[in-house]
Every structure is written in C-alpha cells, then in structure tokens.
Amino acid sequence: MNCRTTLLGGASILMLAMPAFAQENDVVIALNEELETVEPCMASQSNIGRVILQNISETLTELNTDDGSLMPRLAESWEDQGEGTWRFNLRQGVVFSDGSSFDSADVAHSITRTLSPDLTCEIGAKFFGGMTLTATPVDDNTIEITSDPAQPILPLLMSTLTIVPSETAMEFTREPVGTGPYEMTEWNVGQDIILTRRDDYWGEQPEVAKATYLFRTDDAVRAAMVPAGEADIVPLISQIDATNEATDFAYPNSETTYLRVDSNIAPLDDIRIRQALNMAVDRAAFLGTLVPEAATLATHMTVPTALGADVDLGVPEYNLEEAQRLVEEARADGVPVDTEILLVGRLGNFPNVTEVMEALQQMLSETGLNIKLEMVEVAEWIKYYSKPFAAGDQPALVAAMHDNNRGDPVFSMYFKYACDGLQSGICDEELDGLIADATAQTGDERGDAWRAVFQKAHDLYADVFLFHMVGFSRVSERLDFTPSIATNSELQLSQIKIK
C-alpha cells in the first residue's frame, strides 16, 4: 500500500465517524485549520473569517469582489461630510441573534471595542493602525464616523469591521452574537462548529439551513471527502488533487506568501543579511513543484493589481554565491552570523507548506546562516507573528500568507511595516512617514504615495517575498457555488445554492 492509499484509507475511517447529511439543505465544509477563537473582531484572520464573517457577524459595507464596487450591508447609504467625517445611514428592522435591536449605539461600541488597545483585535491593528476613529450617533439609525487623519476610503474600511451588540464585554467572547443570517449553535472544540440559519434574519433567507465545519489537516484526506459524499466544500486542496474538472476550481486568491524578518535583532538587523536571505531563495524552483505553476513571484506585500504596486521593483536575483559573500562580509565586520535564527512555519497554512518550509530552511542555511525550522499550529504561530513576538530575543523569520483583496495598501502596509505595526518586524522613521503620507492621500497622488512606500520597503529588504498564490477548492456537484478571490478569507453560506 502506498502513502496516498494509506491517506485515503485514513479518510474512510474518519468518514465512518461523521454524520450523514441530515437534510438536503445542510452542508459540510472541511477546513484545514481549527479556530482558536470565535471572536468577531478577529475575523480578518482567514481561518476565523471563513466561518464567522458575513455568516454570523456583518459589516456596515461589503466589497463586491467581482467588480470592486462597494455594496450596502448594515448601512444602506453613506455620505462624505468633509474634514474626515462620513455619515452612515443604518438599515432598520435588524435584530441580533440574541433578539436585541441593531442601532447606532452598537456601531459606536463595535468601533471602540475593535480599536481598544486593551483587546488587541486583529481587525483594529490590521486595518485601522495609525489612525483614530470617533463615532458619534446622530440618532438610532444614523451615525457619523470621523477619522484622523482623514480617510477618503473610510466606507471601504468599514467593510472589514464586524458589528456586535453594545452589551458585548470588552473581552474575547466564546459565544459570538451578530446580525448575520446564521448563529453558532455548537462549538465542539477539536471536532466541529455548527452554524444554523436564523428565522429572523433581516435579509433574504439563504438556502443552506445548517453548516457543519469539520477540521482535517491532511490535504489528501480533505480532497477525498467530497467524492465520498462526506463533505460539500473543501477550500485549499492541493494542486496535485485538483484533477476533476466537475468539482475542482482554481482561482487567484489575493494571498501573498512571505517570510517576516525581525530586523530589530542581530544578525537580521544588518541589511547585508536580509539581502542574503532574499538572494538565497530559488523562487522559480518552487513553481510547478511544491507551489502551483500558476502562482507568480512576489515583489510586494500586496498583489500586483493593488494601488501603487510597481512590478518594476523586480524579484531579488537568486545568487547563492553572492549571498554567501554577503554573510562572510558581515561576519568579518563582527556581525554574529552564527546565531541560531528561528524559522517558524504554520501547519496547514497552505498545501505542501511543510515541504516548502523544509526547502526554504535548506536554501537559507546554504548561505552559512544557522537556520532552525519549527512548524507549529495556528494558535502557537500567531504568538510569533503578532507583537509581542514569542521568539523574544532570538532572531526569527516567520512564514505567513497575507490576504489583501480590497485593492488599497492601507489594508496591509501600516501593520506590516510601521514601527507600531502589530506584525511589523522593522522600524524605520522614513518608512513610517511615507506610510502616514500615503494613508491620507486622495486621487492620483494616493497611488504615487503608496508606490514610494513599496520602494522603501524593497530598498530595506524588509522581508523575503515569495509568491502571489492561487487557490484550489473542491465543491460537490450537488451545489451551485463557485469559489472566488474571497473564498480563502470569507465563505458566505448565503451564496451557496442547492441544485
């Protein structure tokens, strides 16, 4: 019996323990990672967003990823009042899953809670870093939100902020309450999460009545669950398994893989070492082998279609000999190049992630640097990824995949590169100034300003960019559902139809 047969056999055993579909309108979704929390203000994290975002917790506005337009959600309309203030007119007749009514006080509380330094919400740090928001209810159905500095794309930013009732405590919840079409009726940690359709949802009733989320880390096992009739949707299958045209979909998923470099600690504080790390990776060798052939080499934190992205920046040349020379030059100048550097990978982050990380460890070690690889579960990984970094005083590289499907770098650059950015490994005064300038710009100047930010991060060799990814998902033929660029971070059950 070969390895693949063994895996598929394992899948069959697992399937015996799983419930058959109770109703025609129930669906089972097999995910690669468990959720370490069900807190709505953490829904920007892909494993959490796929379950919660727009299913349980809704936002004021919603991005249409098909055409880039901004759609109403809990806000029916919005107007620019000038001087950084936007007025949002809220939808009426909306109730939360606990029966309470939705109004402007809930929006104000959600903003305060999400941006509170005491709660460390990823949405707050990721999308609203470097700015302050003041929410002022005008009446129950109208609210004005003022940003400092002024944000010309504030309505787009509000497509990320999840709304909770004003009674929600200033601590992470295990029982999320939202205005979405579903409520969480079961959370069996380590096994499954069940969402059940609400009868009192304000919008159109979705066809899916109940969704069960199962967690299976093995790519082949998850892929085998659809043809076996034990799952309906499996996001993030391996390209090796995506062989059935009837059920398998490939799509650009707006994710960029990279190594976050903590440049505050030697030897990573030496730009020659960061340059050597970039030159040691033979990125092209991964394409068509461990990484899908359709993926592209990355030069930015965002995909090339983002505002201000500049493909002319170029991918660092693969030149192992020059990388070794740079390391030896740094050694001669007293840089502690023999210090162990921790390379942290996230299990289940994307198909073949363990094999990719092992190959990266080998490539980086060939420079003469001392690289130690650790693969950890998502709950452990986030401690290395967000401040205060769990690696402490040890120099570290953290492999990550960043999603920006909204087209503006404001959703990426502050928290990745500003000195106070939650996931930033660099602190550079000039870069901070460029980010602040770009964040406040409007019109054509905004693209130019972000282009300058990308150039500065490139010049500093701030990180090791790897690939702009493509995703593969498998969908049962009994469903009418096509995965999109948003599927990796948001999987709206209301978009699923039963054939």
Side-chain angles (χ1 to χ4, degrees), residues 161-275:
L161 196 143
T162 46
I163 303 300
V164 297
S166 56
E167 295 78 13
T168 306
M170 296 293 283
E171 59 188 29
F172 276 12
T173 181
R174 292 178 59 84
E175 297 178 351
V177 174
T179 58
Y182 296 87
E183 60 183 330
M184 190 178 77
T185 48
E186 288 189 43
W187 182 16
N188 302 303
V189 176
Q191 299 181 42
D192 59 37
I193 289 177
I194 296 177
L195 303 191
T196 303
R197 185 175 61 196
R198 294 174 51 195
D199 294 332
D200 56 350
Y201 179 57
W202 60 266
E204 182 180 349
Q205 280 288 295
E207 289 191 21
V208 172
K210 185 177 79 172
T212 301
Y213 298 86
L214 304 174
F215 310 107
R216 302 288 184 265
T217 58
D218 190 276
D219 298 338
V221 168
R222 290 197 313 280
M225 292 172 71
V226 171
E230 298 293 343
D232 293 292
I233 299 177
V234 180
L236 283 180
I237 65 171
S238 167
Q239 68 271 20
I240 298 174
D241 296 309
T243 56
N244 187 341
E245 293 184 358
T247 59
D248 301 341
F249 297 84
Y251 46 92
N253 61 9
S254 73
E255 297 275 10
T256 299
T257 53
Y258 75 111
L259 301 181
R260 199 277 311 289
V261 180
D262 188 350
S263 62
N264 297 301
I265 301 175
L268 301 177
D269 60 347
D270 191 297
I271 193 171
R272 291 169 296 187
I273 299 302
R274 300 199 298 274
Q275 186 177 359

Side-chain angles (χ1 to χ4, degrees), residues 190-396:
Q191 299 181 42
D192 59 37
I193 289 177
I194 296 177
L195 303 191
T196 303
R197 185 175 61 196
R198 294 174 51 195
D199 294 332
D200 56 350
Y201 179 57
W202 60 266
E204 182 180 349
Q205 280 288 295
E207 289 191 21
V208 172
K210 185 177 79 172
T212 301
Y213 298 86
L214 304 174
F215 310 107
R216 302 288 184 265
T217 58
D218 190 276
D219 298 338
V221 168
R222 290 197 313 280
M225 292 172 71
V226 171
E230 298 293 343
D232 293 292
I233 299 177
V234 180
L236 283 180
I237 65 171
S238 167
Q239 68 271 20
I240 298 174
D241 296 309
T243 56
N244 187 341
E245 293 184 358
T247 59
D248 301 341
F249 297 84
Y251 46 92
N253 61 9
S254 73
E255 297 275 10
T256 299
T257 53
Y258 75 111
L259 301 181
R260 199 277 311 289
V261 180
D262 188 350
S263 62
N264 297 301
I265 301 175
L268 301 177
D269 60 347
D270 191 297
I271 193 171
R272 291 169 296 187
I273 299 302
R274 300 199 298 274
Q275 186 177 359
L277 292 171
N278 270 279
M279 300 183 76
V281 178
D282 185 1
R283 296 165 176 79
F286 286 94
L287 300 180
T289 54
L290 294 176
V291 174
E293 187 173 9
T296 58
L297 305 188
T299 56
H300 301 70
M301 181 58 73
T302 63
V303 293
T305 53
L307 188 67
D310 185 357
V311 295
D312 292 336
L313 284 178
V315 178
E317 175 192 16
Y318 171 58
N319 188 332
L320 178 58
E321 185 175 332
E322 177 62 10
Q324 292 169 334
R325 189 195 69 76
L326 288 166
V327 171
E328 290 308 309
E329 181 181 293
R331 182 196 302 277
D333 289 342
V335 177
V337 298
D338 293 327
T339 303
E340 183 180 85
I341 299 173
L342 190 61
L343 175 61
V344 182
R346 171 176 161 183
L347 290 165
N349 198 192
F350 53 85
N352 300 324
V353 64
T354 299
E355 292 79 4
V356 168
M357 294 303 299
E358 290 171 345
L360 286 171
Q361 180 195 22
Q362 180 176 346
M363 291 179 181
L364 299 177
S365 297
E366 287 175 349
T367 62
L369 295 171
N370 181 9
I371 308 293
K372 177 187 176 183
L373 173 62
E374 282 192 17
M375 297 297 297
V376 298
E377 300 284 352
V378 61
E380 185 70 15
W381 172 87
I382 196 68
K383 298 175 184 176
Y384 287 99
Y385 195 36
S386 297
K387 292 177 179 175
F389 299 142
D393 294 332
Q394 183 176 13

Side-chain angles (χ1 to χ4, degrees), residues 48-67:
I48 300 169
R50 280 192 295 257
V51 177
I52 287 182
L53 193 57
Q54 311 298 12
N55 293 325
I56 296 175
S57 299
E58 295 182 295
T59 51
L60 291 187
T61 61
E62 180 183 0
L63 179 69
N64 184 336
T65 55
D66 289 337
D67 59 14

